[in-house]
């Protein structure tokens, strides 16, 4: 029997983010609400801290804040998914929880780029134990007008029909999203392409993890394109996650939309998945890492985590992304609170591995926030003239906001992650960082500054 990998050091372990008990994780999958619990699954390799044959790891929560780690939901153990249970989604139908996921298959020539993909179904009535559908696959192969890149099904219901959107590459080598329709989640009819990259280097050669949903009377296509080239301060990560806002016509399968916009400005954000909460909020998780990053925690027996759960809102055709309101439940103590004119370098927080710093600054000047530990540092600077934030964590990432003399920053620190929400989610930076000690957080500004610092604790629940 293969042995699951074990943790050997907890120096970088996260306190309130979803991560695996040990081993590698990437994309969030199957985000849904079922029988009183929110469920989140993730791409998981339990046998090492490196990517490998994909399983679906699983966590659930009653309150969106405390996550309970559950047994592995899917393993690549059938002919239909023999080389991996790749990303997918969940939907509840007739009180049954269905998972729809991609089966990954290699040709036996040792070439990792020589593969084919199909789509599969599994179901559960307790939200813990899953049975694979006996007639898998539900979609045996990619359509004629597609290459072998055919994965990451996201399923939703509209007017009694089920729709599936898939990440795809057209025969012309360009990234695109295609849809299928079904009456019963089992038999699917190909509808065709709903959106396509306007160019290989501008919008990518492959669109991974598409998600499609209504928000504020618009339709949003959220996805993770591969192959976009950096342009000035934009698209600086290896791969991007962003969205198109538009209107979808179900009768013609056409999506009129505007341009591509990045959703997060940090180094570590990819492969998002949303769900519609019972109260109508559109909630989103991302993978809080990036392909080909160093992952220093691999030495400790694990790699990767999901972001803090966020709520999406659409304002003037821009997606705002802020922490779910339930995140206040993570606060266990108020460390400090003050309102004063700051004129010099001021220490906001130290010795806290898990903390939230809320700052409201009224200023017409540049300012700087530094997260430091001895010679290591992550720095955020704001330039009033261009309304641009620059985040330095190794190299730089940028976000420009609308002109505003009052700035609101909500900062979440969790041992080796840093998430900075600016002006209620107008701009967000998501970062991993690896210090030996908890960071000292310094503000250098000339500003009227209202500050609250909280200690956080989101201890994971153990599944019995
Ligand atoms: C995105 C992705 C998906 C795929 C999965 C495999 O990060 O490449 O397209 O299903 O990861 O783990």
């Amino acid at each position: 029997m293969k042995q699951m990998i074990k943790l050997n050091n907890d120096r970088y372990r996260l306190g309130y983010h979803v991560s695996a008990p040990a081993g590698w994780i990437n994309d969030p999958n199957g985000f849904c609400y079922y029988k009183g619990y929110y469920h989140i699954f993730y791409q998981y390799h339990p046998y090492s801290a490196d990517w490998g044959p994909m399983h679906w790891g699983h966590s659930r929560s009653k309150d969106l804040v405390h996550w309970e780690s559950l047994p592995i939901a899917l393993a690549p153990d059938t002919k239909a998914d023999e080389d991996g249970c790749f990303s997918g989604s969940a939907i509840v139908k007739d009180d049954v929880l269905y998972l729809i996921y991609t089966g990954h298959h290699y040709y036996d020539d040792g070439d990792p780029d020589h593969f084919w993909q199909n789509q599969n179904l599994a179901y559960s009535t307790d939200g813990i134990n899953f049975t694979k559908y006996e007639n898998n696959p539900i979609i045996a192969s990619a359509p004629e007008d597609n290459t072998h890149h055919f994965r990451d099904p996201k399923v939703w219901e509209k007017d009694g029909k089920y729709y599936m959107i898939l990440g795809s590459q057209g025969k012309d080598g360009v990234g695109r999203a295609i849809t299928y329709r079904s009456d019963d989640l089992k038999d699917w009819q190909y509808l065709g392409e709903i959106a396509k990259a306007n160019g290989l280097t501008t919008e990518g050669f492959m669109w991974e993890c598409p998600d499609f949903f209504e928000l504020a009377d618009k339709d949003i296509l959220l996805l993770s394109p591969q192959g976009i080239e950096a342009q000035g301060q934009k698209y600086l990560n290896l791969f991007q996650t962003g969205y198109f806002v538009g209107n979808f016509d179900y009768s013609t399968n056409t999506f009129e939309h505007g341009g591509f916009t990045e959703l997060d400005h940090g180094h570590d954000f990819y492969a998002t998945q949303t769900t519609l909460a019972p109260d109508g909020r559109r909630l989103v998780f991302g993978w809080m890492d990036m392909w080909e990053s160093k992952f220093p925690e691999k030495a400790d027996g694990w790699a990767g985590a999901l972001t803090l759960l966020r709520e999406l809102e659409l304002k003037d055709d821009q997606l705002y992304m802020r922490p779910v309101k339930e995140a206040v439940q993570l606060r266990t103590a108020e460390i400090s609170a003050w309102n004063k004119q700051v004129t010099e370098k001021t220490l906001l927080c130290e010795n806290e591995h898990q903390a939230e710093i809320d700052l409201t600054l009224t200023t017409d000047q540049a300012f700087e926030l530094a997260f430091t530990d001895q010679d290591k540092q992550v720095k955020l600077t704001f330039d009033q003239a261009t309304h641009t934030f620059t985040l330095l964590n190794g190299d730089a990432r940028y976000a420009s906001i609308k002109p505003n003399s009052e700035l609101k920053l909500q900062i979440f620190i969790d041992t080796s992650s840093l998430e900075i929400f600016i002006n209620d989610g107008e701009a967000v930076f998501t970062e991993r960082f690896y210090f030996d000690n908890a960071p000292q957080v310094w503000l250098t500004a000339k500003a009227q500054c209202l500050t609250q610092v909280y200690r956080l604790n989101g201890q994971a629940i153990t599944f019995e």
Side-chain angles (χ1 to χ4, degrees), residues 12 27 68-69 90 138 143 152 160 174 189 226 232-233 246 261 281 311 346 374 447:
Y12 301 133
D27 316 356
E68 176 184 6
S69 197
I138 49 170
D152 310 340
V174 173
Q189 179 200 350
Q226 297 178 294
Q233 299 186 343
T261 308
R281 285 179 295 168
E311 177 181 353
T346 307
Q374 297 158 74

Side-chain angles (χ1 to χ4, degrees), residues 265-286:
H265 299 270
H267 287 81
D268 296 293
F269 187 79
Y270 196 63
T272 40
Q273 187 163 109
T274 76
T275 196
L276 187 64
D279 61 12
R281 285 179 295 168
R282 180 58 59 174
L283 306 179
V284 65
F285 270 118

Side-chain angles (χ1 to χ4, degrees), residues 26-27 43 51 54 86-87 151-152 208-209 270-271 291:
N26 53 285
D27 316 356
Q43 289 284 281
W51 189 87
M54 282 288 107
F86 272 24
S87 284
R151 59 180 173 270
D152 310 340
E208 297 193 302
C209 302
Y270 196 63
W291 290 108

